[in-house]
Amino acid sequence: MTTDKKNAMANQPVDRRSLMRLGAAAAGAVALASCAKENPGREARDGGGEGGPYDVAVIGAGYAGITAARDLAAKGWRVVVLEARPRIGGRTFTSEFLGRPVELGGSSVHWVQPHVFTEMQRYGFDFEEVPLYDLDASYIMTSDGAVHNVPPAKFDTLYNDAFNRFCANSRTLFPQPYKPFANPEVLKIDDISAARHLASLGLDPLAKAALSAELVLYAGGPLSTFSYASFVKLFALAAWDPFTFTDSEKHWHIANGGTAALAKAILDDSKADVRLGTVVKEVEQSDRGVTLRTADGQTFEARAAVFTLPTSVYPDINFKPGLSPAKREFIAHGDSADGATMYMKVKKNLGNTFAFCDDPNPLNAIQTEEFGDDGTILKATLGRQSLIDMNDLDAVGAELRKIHPDAEITDIAPYNWVKDPFSKQAWPAYKVGWFKKFKDMAKPEGRLFFAGSATADGWHEYIDGAVESGIRACREVTEKLAKEDATNG
């Protein structure tokens, strides 16, 4: 959109149709604006608030943080959760688009993901199906922008063949996927990028384009920067099976309120105190405890602290003393993703469709979420949001019409996690050469403990990995504090 056109729009009255069209985008902008206000509408508190210092402070109320907080409180520890946003959930975000619930962050769950499945069972949540199969049409866009209408049966054959060949050694490399380095050969191949491995397979051009689009989503960037081994580990976690892997990543969401409802159920089951809109800026560790200072002057004291932040956010906190060199190196180089999610409403009933668009086409995966006489709702996932302005309806429409030439978008709902000040990245994605070092990020340092899906042994790009890491952090903190109490008692 040109500057003149933007200015013209700004100077014109906004009618109801414009408000509807831009409503979800505006809601996303408001959410970011509210996040940017450090600790909005809260009064300063000293110490641990009412009741004095805490045993444990948990920084971040995403799935890792709320799991750790619940489990620590269940052990009898006094816990406070400090969350920068005015909501819980972290990089999951259940919102609404045209009266329909949508997931703008992490969304897919599955019964082969044992930690999140356990939480769903614990709190009585069922699965909601996304129409991934029985497609009416499927498309593959190659890197040059050429679009191929590929019959769904052929699409499956091409993709599955490419996928199986890319992950051919998965069972040997990852015989125990939750022990990712059980086979030491994994350490040797982590310097191989996904691009290098993909190029070595001699794939059919369409099969290669489809798989490349999928890999770009997991990479959150060019495949030349993405760890081949880390993706194969995710495949191994899905029982080394391409159907199960695809089923786990795109087909099932959480019913009855989505990720937000499950997160609330976990936190409601906790006795932890929760402080929303509380931005931690400084952490000072001593032999006796941890002092946390916030952007608005609050101070919290605890015997230990659990950090569950996205990797890219750690530089915003002043650690005294500083984090270990290994952690600082991983934070600087090991994990980041340029990805984003958006929803679109199209006037026409497009049917149940799916498309993979190879890099550098920005809308890497486009799938039907709902369709009928009143049109189609599509979900697009971007591995590299920096390739397009997701708030530019004209730009998004031009990309979509490469697949669906007569599609007219009436409404959009984008969410850009890279520009969210409390994530600064999308899902965790290990860079080539850094997967073998992710455990550096998980190691405790004195009274500081670290969780978050990037530190998980298992499904590190998923909610399941976050829950897994919260369980581990609870165990580590409990062992330390219990040992101290036994020694001092």
Side-chain angles (χ1 to χ4, degrees), residues 70-89:
R70 179 201 58 196
D71 291 0
L72 285 161
K75 295 285 187 183
W77 305 115
R78 297 193 59 210
V79 180
V80 63
V81 179
L82 308 178
E83 167 56 49
R85 293 184 177 92
R87 63 170 181 85
I88 68 170

Side-chain angles (χ1 to χ4, degrees), residues 140 142 148 150 154 158 203-211:
I140 298 172
T142 50
H148 302 263
V150 182
K154 183 178 179 182
L158 286 169
L203 296 173
D204 172 274
L206 289 184
K208 182 178 179 182
L211 181 57

Side-chain angles (χ1 to χ4, degrees), residues 352-407:
N352 187 17
T353 69
F354 186 87
F356 267 140
C357 305
D358 193 7
D359 197 51
N361 300 292
L363 307 182
N364 298 112
I366 309 169
Q367 71 186 84
T368 294
E369 292 266 319
E370 189 176 289
F371 62 99
D373 293 340
D374 62 343
T376 307
I377 292 179
L378 300 171
K379 178 182 179 181
T381 312
L382 296 76
R384 300 171 67 191
Q385 60 78 32
S386 55
L387 296 176
I388 191 172
D389 179 357
M390 292 191 299
N391 290 297
D392 187 334
L393 192 65
D394 294 338
V396 174
E399 290 297 326
L400 182 62
R401 282 189 291 276
K402 293 178 182 178
I403 301 289
H404 302 288
D406 55 351

Side-chain angles (χ1 to χ4, degrees), residues 41 59 74 101 130 140 194 206 229 234 246 253 277 280 313-314 331-332 350 365 370 382 473 477:
I59 296 82
V130 176
I140 298 172
L206 289 184
L234 293 174
T246 301
H253 290 179
V280 173
V313 174
Y314 279 95
I331 289 165
L350 300 174
E370 189 176 289
L382 296 76
V477 172

Side-chain angles (χ1 to χ4, degrees), residues 20 38 61 89 96 117 143 258 264 305 353 370 402 446 463 472:
M20 289 179 63
E38 294 177 329
E96 190 173 280
F117 182 54
S143 59
K264 183 177 184 300
T353 69
E370 189 176 289
K402 293 178 182 178
I463 298 170
R472 170 184 51 77

Side-chain angles (χ1 to χ4, degrees), residues 129-136 156 243 246-248 251-252 352:
E129 187 173 12
V130 176
L132 181 62
Y133 301 113
D134 299 321
L135 296 176
D136 297 312
D156 288 346
F243 179 91
T246 301
D247 203 53
S248 72
H251 193 192
W252 302 99
N352 187 17

